[in-house]
Amino acid sequence: MMRTGVTTDQLEGCFERDFRFLLDTFRGLLEGLGEPLVRYLPWQGRPPDVADVTWLQDAERLMQLHSISFSLLNQAEDSASVEARRQREAVEGIGQEPGLWGHALKRMLAAGLEPARIADELALLWVEPVLTAHPTEAKRATILEHYRDLHGLLMERIHPMTPLEDRDNRDRTGRVLERIWRTGDIFLEKPDVASELRNVLYYLREVFPSAAAVTRRRLRVAWEEAGLDPATLHVMPLLSFGDWVGGDRDGHPLVTAEVTQGTLHELRLNALVGINRQLNDLAEHLSLSARLQEPPPPLVARIETLKEQLGARGLQAIERNPEEPWRQLLNLMIARLPVDVARRHALKLNEFEGSYRFADELMLDLRLLQQSLCVVGASHLGEAEVQDTLDWLRATGFHLAALDIRQNSRFHDKAVAQLLLAAGLDGTGYAEWPEERRLEFLNAELRFMRPFALSSRSIGPEADAVLGTYRVLAAHADRYGREGLGALIVSMTRGLSDLLAVYLLARETDLVTSGPDGLACKLPIVPLFETVDDLERSAGIMAAFLAHPMTRRSMAYQVGTVGQDRPMQQVMVGYSDSTKDGGILAGQWHLYHAQEALTEVGRQASVVIRFFHGRGGTISRGAGPTYRFFDALPPGSVQGAIRMTEQGETIAQKYGNLSQAAYNLELLMASAAEVSFLKERPAALEPDVASVMERLAVLSREAYEALIRDPGFMTFYSQATPIDAIEENRIGSRPSRRTGLRTLADLRAIPWVFSWSQSRFHLPGWFGVGTALETLKRTDPGVFETLRTRGMQWPFLAYVLTNVETSVNTADLQVMRQYAALVADAAVRERLMGVMEAEYERCRRLLQELFETPFAERRPLLHRSFELRAEPLRFLHRLQIELLREWRAFDRKGPAEDAALRRVMMSLNAIASGLRSTG
């Protein structure tokens, strides 16, 4: 939905113009093609009646029509946001938009921070968005490319056009829309890991280099506009990237050691082709002639050295630009890259004798190039032209993104058990050993460098999978260094032994090294705390882990890699499963409380806790406005280093084009800087606010658990939502369940949230909150009144309840009742729907009391967006319900059942387009 921060009038004016243009062009296209369904075009035609639809002929085209129409609405909203921000900055300057550099610097200076200290802190700032391995993107990559073209055409219309230019723009827009209409925009086959990797590589290679450069330039401009000396901004903050595609194997059997090896290869290959492009661009620009300025001796000497080292390649490189030594040096750098490129596309890695092996080698040559420009008085060119490449190389090296390896703790248990059996020890019951016995065994083993098994011997499926992957990582580290390798992440971390077991497994490979003080792991081990219970235990687990001798040695060993300038421990916190486990209020509060406690654990251990926030694309999975999310984090929890997942359709929404990508990267960087540097923010307004939040969390969790533990709940859920179809879906390569068990606990959070949003309950995003607030008001009206009058001044509470308000307003009671009618058992249907309706009304009423002003008045743009979407979405929901009935009526597989399922799949995608979210 539209973002706030610019004026309502600015957004509405831009939106109306762009949306009308897109819809009129689409209508003209359909009329020109003689498409009879144009009479049903949303917002311009009459709403279709489900009874009029001929299933085999009209249903699919109608869903396609609506899906594209919603995408045009989304495009208009996004483009309006971009243009309105530009208009506001043009009039008011760069410092007005919350969450961006200008605003952040103003707040820091107003708080009394000295410019020198701000510059020093910025030099240590490290932000890393991580593109995840379980995308929920419903659109095909080809269609996303067409929509990127459409955005570019809308951006052209920002500027005044001649009649001829306007006609040309309209014609090209019509052609893009025809491609979209004729292509189809959904996954008909389940994507594999390779296709997901190609999608991620597109953003890493094509979008982020330019967007990151814009973000850095905007920081420099904001710095100067704040009246600060540009010379004091000596080092840019570090913006690097992470990747889970090809590394995340938690319940994903398709991610093998071979897939991980191929992913590391592709990341290196694409990093090098991107660098090749940047060096070629520099060579085009830096055409300085030796006749007009004397090349410095170090430049001349380096050219001679590289020419000799590269032989025929070197000679060819310098002959290309005689009397242009700066270009000659760049040509030699390009010739030395270990990649073969044709027309700026990578062909293959080519690590010949004398080629660059590490990015640091290239960085030295680039710095020499930059210094030589300064010597001849062209320092502006050195800063403007070379620095962006240096900054990008510092962030991505020759690896592009750090590949994390994630696996479930239960999987590791099986691997350890198999390892013990292979060594002739009794490991059959390892998974059931009490924690004390596990720790006694692990601590004893981690004193010695003695592997249990021979590397060539098969041990068991889980052990082979883990150790095979670790050997790939070890071989990559030995050859290229550790910069391209992220962390070993342990999903469902329940105790200290879950982390120490990874040390034991790593000891079987070269991922553990032996020093005079003992063993150390080359890669960081990172817990992922996901459930409410695990979050409650997290501080104790981490205190013990940080105190462990092998952890201390490992952190010391890891200092010196990218961003690791001090002892640092990542801790990942999961927003999806904590909310699925206990409801949104309990999940958010336990996440907040855990971060407070973990920050204190790190402080006592003299270790920086680098939180890794596992946020999804919907409110029920941690999504929300970036700036408000950062502002709501516990004070002191962002210590200059943070990671955050970017998942599924949010990647295309936030980074699908340069303007949006630059804006969202700046939001990440500037918001992280602001909350990191302004550590003295008040934690809350009242001394007992924590106890009030604890009460609300307990009350909401009790209401939520009472619902999901009702004996009829799974019957209601499985019939009143399209979860059965979603589990057959083509969205993402990952299975919907971790182990295949037909239980709620085994179901992943993505399909859980997706199914509730498709049926417009949006239940995980609000259920239980109304009961908690009503109970507090009844039992302690004074505290409730304080919450009403002053509570929204606490950023955390305001953020959570505003997100709950968004969820409950996104829900549609009329549609919920229609899906509930699919439940065959009338008693179950009426009882549970009664509970949900009562909580829905209760939540709306209590939130209205807290916020006082109606939702439509306080958030008019979002309200209008909901209103625009309402009727077209209601048609799609009615259609999906009929399609579900048709598909569920089949009692066996066959072509007719496949066709029926295909139509359900199209309805899932069309509704996701209308809601702008899946899971």
Side-chain angles (χ1 to χ4, degrees):
M1 305 301 176
M2 288 195 201
R3 297 176 179 86
T4 58
V6 295
T7 67
T8 301
D9 289 344
Q10 283 174 317
L11 271 172
E12 284 189 344
C14 300
F15 167 74
E16 289 287 354
R17 182 202 63 218
D18 288 347
F19 188 41
R20 185 169 58 250
F21 167 73
L22 289 173
L23 213 57
D24 287 348
T25 306
F26 188 37
R27 182 184 186 89
L29 165 70
L30 296 176
E31 288 174 342
L33 295 175
E35 175 55 66
L37 294 181
V38 69
R39 66 186 183 275
Y40 296 130
L41 184 66
W43 306 292
Q44 290 198 354
R46 67 178 178 85
D49 189 323
V50 170
D52 295 340
V53 174
T54 302
W55 297 123
L56 295 179
Q57 295 177 5
D58 289 348
E60 294 190 12
R61 274 311 214 185
L62 270 171
M63 288 185 285
Q64 179 82 347
L65 179 77
H66 281 69
S67 179
I68 292 172
S69 299
F70 279 126
S71 294
L72 299 184
L73 172 61
N74 301 338
Q75 285 274 323
E77 288 183 344
D78 290 344
S79 297
S81 295
V82 172
E83 185 176 354
R85 283 196 303 271
R86 289 164 56 96
Q87 290 179 6
R88 188 176 185 190
E89 283 194 356
V91 174
E92 302 178 17
I94 203 169
Q96 302 302 315
E97 193 76 19
L100 301 186
W101 282 123
H103 185 270
L105 290 174
K106 284 174 63 175
R107 283 197 65 190
M108 294 175 204
L109 292 168
L113 271 65
E114 293 294 326
R117 181 186 167 192
I118 298 174
D120 289 342
E121 295 271 14
L122 284 172
L124 296 175
L125 184 68
W126 181 19
V127 176
E128 189 167 86
V130 180
L131 308 186
T132 68
H134 41 69
T136 52
E137 175 56 69
K139 288 183 171 58
R140 298 171 54 194
T142 299
I143 288 294
L144 291 174
E145 188 66 43
H146 295 331
Y147 281 117
R148 279 189 279 270
D149 293 342
L150 205 60
H151 176 83
L153 289 164
L154 280 180
M155 289 296 98
E156 286 182 14
R157 302 187 69 82
I158 290 176
H159 308 289
M161 289 183 169
T162 66
L164 181 61
E165 289 169 339
D166 178 75
R167 174 67 180 270
D168 177 66
N169 180 276
R170 288 175 184 273
D171 288 346
R172 285 183 288 137
T173 300
R175 290 198 294 273
V176 172
L177 289 172
E178 183 170 0
R179 291 200 298 270
I180 293 171
W181 178 248
R182 292 182 181 278
T183 301
D185 63 351
I186 68 167
F187 288 116
L188 300 180
E189 297 297 331
K190 200 172 185 68
D192 56 15
V193 178
S195 64
E196 290 173 343
L197 180 61
R198 285 193 296 273
N199 185 50
V200 165
L201 288 171
Y202 172 85
Y203 293 97
L204 291 169
R205 185 188 64 241
E206 306 293 340
V207 179
F208 288 145
S210 298
V214 171
T215 301
R216 290 190 294 268
R217 286 195 290 272
R218 285 178 58 85
L219 172 56
R220 293 188 184 99
V221 172
W223 189 265
E224 293 186 35
E225 283 202 3
L228 304 178
D229 180 1
T232 60
L233 190 61
H234 46 88
V235 179
M236 284 286 111
L238 178 60
L239 172 64
S240 59
F241 299 92
D243 172 39
W244 274 17
V245 179
D248 181 11
R249 58 245 302 125
D250 180 8
H252 198 328
L254 300 179
V255 182
T256 62
E258 292 74 22
V259 166
T260 295
Q261 185 173 34
T263 300
L264 289 167
H265 177 275
E266 287 298 316
L267 286 168
R268 184 172 176 86
L269 183 64
N270 281 269
L272 287 164
V273 75
I275 292 166
N276 179 283
R277 288 180 185 178
Q278 295 196 35
L279 295 180
N280 272 286
D281 289 341
L282 281 175
E284 287 180 11
H285 295 167
L286 297 179
S287 55
L288 287 74
S289 171
R291 289 178 294 158
L292 299 177
Q293 48 263 307
E294 184 72 25
L299 176 67
V300 175
R302 187 58 180 158
I303 291 171
E304 286 300 314
T305 299
L306 288 177
K307 183 185 74 171
E308 294 300 321
Q309 287 180 354
L310 294 173
R313 295 171 75 103
L315 186 61
Q316 185 181 22
I318 66 166
E319 285 178 345
R320 196 175 308 133
N321 299 105
E323 298 189 359
E324 294 178 348
W326 285 269
R327 271 185 168 171
Q328 287 180 328
L329 179 57
L330 282 160
N331 291 341
L332 288 163
M333 292 185 212
I334 294 166
R336 199 181 172 198
L337 288 175
V339 62
D340 289 336
V341 176
R343 298 186 182 90
R344 297 199 172 195
H345 293 285
L347 299 178
K348 63 178 180 178
L349 292 178
N350 180 11
E351 293 167 331
F352 57 89
E353 184 69 27
S355 66
Y356 292 116
R357 187 176 178 190
F358 303 110
D360 286 350
E361 299 168 326
L362 173 59
M363 197 170 289
L364 289 174
D365 284 337
L366 279 167
R367 286 184 178 140
L368 186 149
L369 178 78
Q370 188 180 52
Q371 291 161 7
S372 69
L373 290 167
C374 294
V375 168
V376 299
S379 56
H380 181 70
L381 289 178
E383 179 63 29
E385 302 285 355
V386 182
Q387 191 59 47
D388 277 342
T389 304
L390 278 168
D391 288 336
W392 181 252
L393 195 61
R394 172 177 169 242
T396 65
F398 285 176
H399 59 272
L400 199 58
L403 182 67
D404 287 337
I405 304 297
R406 183 174 73 137
Q407 186 53 273
N408 196 284
S409 59
R410 295 292 187 189
F411 197 95
H412 288 153
D413 285 349
K414 293 178 181 178
V416 171
Q418 292 162 8
L419 200 59
L420 293 177
L421 289 170
L425 303 173
D426 182 13
T428 51
Y430 175 80
E432 284 72 43
W433 286 3
E435 180 73 355
E436 294 76 13
R437 183 181 174 188
R438 288 160 65 109
L439 290 176
E440 182 181 4
F441 160 71
L442 291 167
N443 284 324
E445 281 300 323
L446 293 176
R447 294 168 54 204
F448 307 105
M449 190 70 164
R450 59 176 186 193
F452 279 125
L454 297 173
S455 61
S456 59
R457 180 182 173 188
S458 177
I459 302 169
E462 285 77 15
D464 289 349
V466 173
L467 299 185
T469 299
Y470 287 5
R471 291 186 186 106
V472 166
L473 301 180
H476 187 89
D478 287 347
R479 189 170 186 180
Y480 301 122
R482 289 172 283 141
E483 284 74 15
L485 304 177
L488 305 175
I489 300 174
V490 184
S491 294
M492 293 295 175
T493 298
R494 306 150 300 174
L496 175 61
S497 64
D498 290 332
L499 302 176
L500 299 186
V502 181
Y503 285 147
L504 183 75
L505 292 165
R507 192 188 66 174
E508 295 294 306
T509 69
D510 286 339
L511 284 183
V512 165
T513 184
S514 180
D517 299 326
L519 306 185
C521 191
K522 297 177 182 179
L523 299 181
I525 310 298
V526 174
L528 169 48
F529 299 113
E530 300 177 82
T531 69
V532 168
D533 291 341
D534 290 343
L535 287 166
E536 288 179 337
R537 291 192 295 266
S538 62
I541 294 171
M542 286 312 298
F545 185 61
L546 293 179
H548 197 277
M550 189 160 176
T551 301
R552 305 298 293 192
R553 291 191 297 268
S554 298
M555 281 192 294
Y557 180 87
Q558 292 154 16
V559 169
T561 54
V562 175
Q564 301 273 96
D565 54 355
R566 48 201 160 152
M568 187 178 292
Q569 173 64 48
Q570 273 190 67
V571 177
M572 188 172 183
V573 288
Y575 289 72
S576 303
D577 282 283
S578 56
T579 299
K580 174 174 172 277
D581 190 39
I584 190 165
L585 201 57
Q588 291 284 330
W589 173 242
H590 282 90
L591 282 160
Y592 185 94
H593 185 61
Q595 288 174 70
E596 283 188 314
L598 288 162
T599 300
E600 178 60 20
V601 166
R603 189 189 65 78
Q604 293 184 9
S606 299
V607 171
V608 171
I609 299 296
R610 184 191 186 199
F611 283 106
F612 183 4
H613 295 273
R615 303 171 74 209
T618 58
I619 286 169
S620 304
R621 296 186 52 242
T626 300
Y627 175 69
R628 296 187 182 278
F629 168 79
F630 274 97
D631 200 40
L633 293 174
S637 63
V638 182
Q639 301 172 66
I642 193 167
R643 301 182 94 203
M644 190 175 302
T645 55
E646 298 286 13
Q647 298 183 8
E649 75 278 354
T650 62
I651 297 175
Q653 289 170 15
K654 293 168 71 172
Y655 306 112
N657 56 73
L658 177 59
S659 53
Q660 287 290 81
Y663 170 70
N664 282 291
L665 289 180
E666 185 175 349
L667 272 179
L668 279 179
M669 298 290 287
S671 299
E674 189 173 316
V675 301
S676 182
F677 304 169
L678 300 178
K679 299 181 176 68
E680 303 306 318
R681 296 173 298 143
L685 294 161
E686 304 293 333
D688 60 346
V689 71
S691 63
V692 175
M693 280 304 307
E694 188 66 37
R695 286 169 62 188
L696 290 173
V698 169
L699 290 167
S700 66
R701 184 179 181 182
E702 288 174 350
Y704 179 84
E705 289 181 343
L707 174 69
I708 65 174
R709 292 176 180 173
D710 185 286
F713 176 77
M714 287 303 293
T715 297
F716 184 96
Y717 171 59
S718 62
Q719 295 177 24
T721 77
I723 182 59
D724 49 350
I726 288 169
E727 291 190 280
E728 300 281 344
N729 72 22
R730 272 69 166 166
I731 300 175
S733 65
R734 174 181 300 277
S736 294
R737 295 180 181 272
R738 283 191 166 89
T739 65
L741 298 175
R742 304 292 300 179
T743 64
L744 181 58
D746 195 57
L747 183 69
R748 294 184 181 280
I750 289 175
W752 166 253
V753 174
F754 189 15
S755 56
W756 285 117
S757 65
Q758 282 280 310
S759 51
R760 295 303 291 283
F761 286 83
H762 293 277
L763 185 129
W766 55 267
F767 195 91
V769 176
T771 292
L773 292 172
E774 185 178 67
T775 304
L776 181 67
K777 181 181 178 182
R778 184 180 67 250
T779 59
D780 205 335
V783 171
F784 182 85
E785 183 62 16
T786 299
L787 208 62
R788 187 187 68 80
T789 57
R790 301 180 62 199
M792 293 306 161
Q793 297 173 44
W794 183 23
F796 168 73
L797 187 63
Y799 174 76
V800 173
L801 292 184
T802 298
N803 282 345
V804 172
E805 181 193 42
T806 300
S807 286
V808 81
N809 277 278
T810 309
D812 187 320
L813 189 55
Q814 174 185 320
V815 176
M816 290 159 60
R817 289 168 178 158
Q818 292 169 356
Y819 278 90
L822 291 169
V823 179
D825 189 322
V828 169
R829 178 178 67 244
E830 291 172 10
R831 183 179 77 255
L832 291 183
M833 192 60 202
V835 170
M836 293 178 194
E837 283 197 40
E839 183 66 8
Y840 172 82
E841 297 293 354
R842 187 181 298 118
C843 188
R844 288 177 64 93
R845 175 169 48 82
L846 269 296
L847 287 174
Q848 175 70 50
E849 288 187 40
L850 285 179
F851 286 111
E852 295 185 296
T853 308
F855 175 79
E857 294 179 23
R858 286 188 307 103
R859 305 170 75 183
L861 294 171
L862 190 58
H863 175 72
R864 177 165 184 198
S865 186
F866 288 162
E867 294 257 289
L868 273 172
R869 296 165 192 273
E871 282 309 314
L873 273 170
R874 283 174 178 166
F875 162 71
L876 289 176
H877 288 300
R878 293 194 302 271
L879 184 55
Q880 185 182 81
I881 288 167
E882 295 305 315
L883 293 170
L884 281 168
R885 285 195 174 106
E886 179 197 30
W887 173 60
R888 288 172 177 174
F890 287 94
D891 56 5
R892 61 179 179 272
K893 297 282 187 182
E897 190 268 351
D898 287 343
L901 178 60
R902 170 196 164 94
R903 290 189 284 274
V904 175
M905 295 299 177
M906 290 194 71
S907 74
L908 295 175
N909 285 271
I911 290 171
S913 184
L915 294 172
R916 297 208 76 173
S917 71
T918 54

